[in-house]
Amino acid sequence: MSARTAAKTTRARALRAAGLAGLLALAAACTGDTTTAPTAVVDRGTVSTAVSASGTLVSITQQNLGFADRGQIAELFVKVGDAVQAGQPLARLDDAAARSRLASAQAQLDQQQASLGKLTGGNSVEAAQAALDSAREILDATRGQVAATDAADASAIDRARVQLAFDEKQLELAKRQLEKDQKACRSGSTTPTTPAPTARPATEGSSEGTGLLTGLSNANTNSSPTGAGTSTGTNPACTAIPTDKQAVQTAKGAVIQSRTALDAAEHQRDTDRAAGRVNIANAESAVSDAQSRLDSAGNDAPADIDVQEAVVRDAENSVADARRAVEDTVLRAPVAGTVSAINGAVGDFVAAAGGATPLAPGTDARIPVAAGGRPTPLPPPTPPGTAPSSP
């Protein structure tokens, strides 16, 4: 390399070094005049929002339970708030009538099975005789039940009549006492005709004053009820009139209630007698049929066995229905859950449950997802006459 070329190279390097030094100085000057920007730590997390509101919470699987038939509540096995398991008994109706029907159906089945056994065993006469005996026993039991029911109804009517006579007598006495006090008050006599008002029974809820306060109020009255000008402040008969009137009204109400009870008892007797006549007629018809079968037992044909087998099957169905009726007197939990309400108490008469109780808000409903998500759409409605599709 020549001396000239070396000089040029040295000069170029010096200029580049000078330019770089100026650039660094400028950057340093700018940096010194700028304020440091604020910094923060970046983190990841779930952003959620909440809405506060008041209302009533209802389980989406709430079900209303009821008995299959009407009846009187005999027992309650649970209370509100109890947790129950599927199949657990919740309540029971009085099952006396249902068990009676089951016993009657079982007796009919036994009778028909005996008849079938006699036919298939070649002892049709004995079978017919057994059926007749059973039918007569049922007739006797039916007559005894009807007689007992009639006697109970007659006793209830007698009690109602005695109560009515007593209440009518009390009403008559109350009217006489009122008339007596009114007459004494009009005459202006100061001789007590009745006990002091404080000694007379007061009727609860009456707005009429009695006792000492009534005497003080009447003492300031300067005229009798008839306007005769006689002071009644010291006349016990005048102060007793309001109480007498209240007693008359109370006695009238008791008479009305007693008459209503008597009418209800007589109506119940008439209803039971009509039902009793029907039951006796049915039992007598069964005896007549059994007697006819006994008379014609010697002429049985093979087809009679088929007929008797059908009768036995019908009797078996009757027993099954009666047994289910007994089982239905016990209300059981269909699923596990918590008792939220009980609409009845022991001794109340309840009606049979009607209709279906769907799961709220619907068996095909979906619960909305949390905020920020997308709710699951409901399936389209099922056309009438088609089965719903599985989810």
Side-chain angles (χ1 to χ4, degrees):
M1 180 181 298
S2 63
R4 186 176 180 179
T5 302
K8 290 181 178 180
T9 302
T10 300
R11 184 180 179 181
R13 289 177 178 177
L15 291 175
R16 288 197 296 270
L20 180 59
L23 179 62
L24 292 175
L26 179 62
C30 293
T31 303
D33 297 339
T34 303
T35 304
T36 303
T39 61
V41 178
V42 179
D43 194 7
R44 290 185 177 183
T46 301
V47 179
S48 61
T49 59
V51 177
S52 177
S54 61
T56 302
L57 297 179
V58 179
S59 173
I60 64 171
T61 59
Q62 178 172 326
Q63 300 187 47
N64 296 326
L65 307 180
F67 292 97
D69 198 1
R70 64 182 298 274
Q72 184 179 21
I73 298 177
E75 290 183 278
L76 288 174
F77 303 117
V78 295
K79 60 182 181 297
V80 174
D82 286 354
V84 298
Q85 301 298 324
Q88 178 178 339
L90 305 178
R92 183 180 68 84
L93 295 178
D94 184 3
D95 58 357
R99 291 189 179 279
S100 176
R101 289 191 293 269
L102 175 59
S104 178
Q106 185 64 51
Q108 292 290 341
L109 175 60
D110 295 341
Q111 173 185 337
Q112 301 303 333
Q113 286 177 337
S115 299
L116 178 61
K118 296 299 182 180
L119 288 175
T120 55
N123 297 323
S124 57
V125 175
E126 292 81 357
Q129 183 62 53
L132 178 59
D133 296 339
S134 177
R136 286 173 175 171
E137 291 176 0
I138 294 176
L139 175 59
D140 294 338
T142 302
R143 287 173 175 169
Q145 181 180 5
V146 170
T149 302
D150 189 71
D153 291 341
S155 178
I157 291 175
D158 291 340
R159 291 195 302 270
R161 286 175 177 171
V162 170
Q163 185 64 44
L164 176 58
F166 175 82
D167 291 337
E168 289 177 341
K169 182 64 175 178
Q170 292 300 111
L171 175 58
E172 182 64 23
L173 293 175
K175 288 181 177 179
R176 290 179 182 178
Q177 186 63 48
L178 175 60
E179 293 174 356
K180 181 179 180 181
D181 288 341
Q182 287 176 338
K183 182 177 179 180
C185 183
R186 286 193 299 269
S187 65
S189 174
T190 59
T191 302
T193 59
T194 59
T198 55
R200 298 175 61 84
T203 303
E204 182 179 356
S206 173
S207 60
E208 300 289 341
T210 59
L212 177 61
L213 293 180
T214 302
L216 291 176
S217 176
N218 290 337
N220 295 327
T221 303
N222 294 325
S223 61
S224 65
T226 59
T230 303
S231 174
T232 60
T234 59
N235 192 337
C238 295
T239 60
I241 288 177
T243 303
D244 294 341
K245 289 181 178 180
Q246 183 62 40
V248 170
Q249 294 300 323
T250 303
K252 286 182 179 179
V255 168
I256 293 175
Q257 292 180 356
S258 297
R259 287 176 179 171
T260 302
L262 177 59
D263 293 340
E266 291 176 345
H267 177 72
Q268 184 65 41
R269 176 200 58 191
D270 297 339
T271 302
D272 291 340
R273 283 181 176 178
R277 288 192 294 268
V278 173
N279 294 336
I280 290 176
N282 292 336
E284 290 176 343
S285 177
V287 171
S288 179
D289 294 340
Q291 184 65 55
S292 299
R293 288 192 295 271
L294 178 60
D295 295 339
S296 60
N299 300 321
D300 290 335
D304 293 339
I305 297 178
D306 297 334
V307 174
Q308 188 60 32
E309 288 177 345
V311 173
V312 169
R313 288 193 296 270
D314 183 69
E316 289 174 345
N317 292 334
S318 298
V319 171
D321 293 339
R323 184 173 290 109
R324 280 193 297 270
V326 173
E327 294 173 354
D328 288 342
T329 58
V330 177
L331 181 63
R332 300 179 181 275
V335 295
T338 302
V339 179
S340 61
I342 299 176
N343 300 322
V346 174
D348 289 349
F349 285 89
V350 296
T357 301
L359 300 179
T363 55
D364 295 330
R366 296 293 185 269
I367 301 176
V369 299
R374 300 183 62 185
T376 304
L378 296 176
T382 304
T386 61
S389 58
S390 300

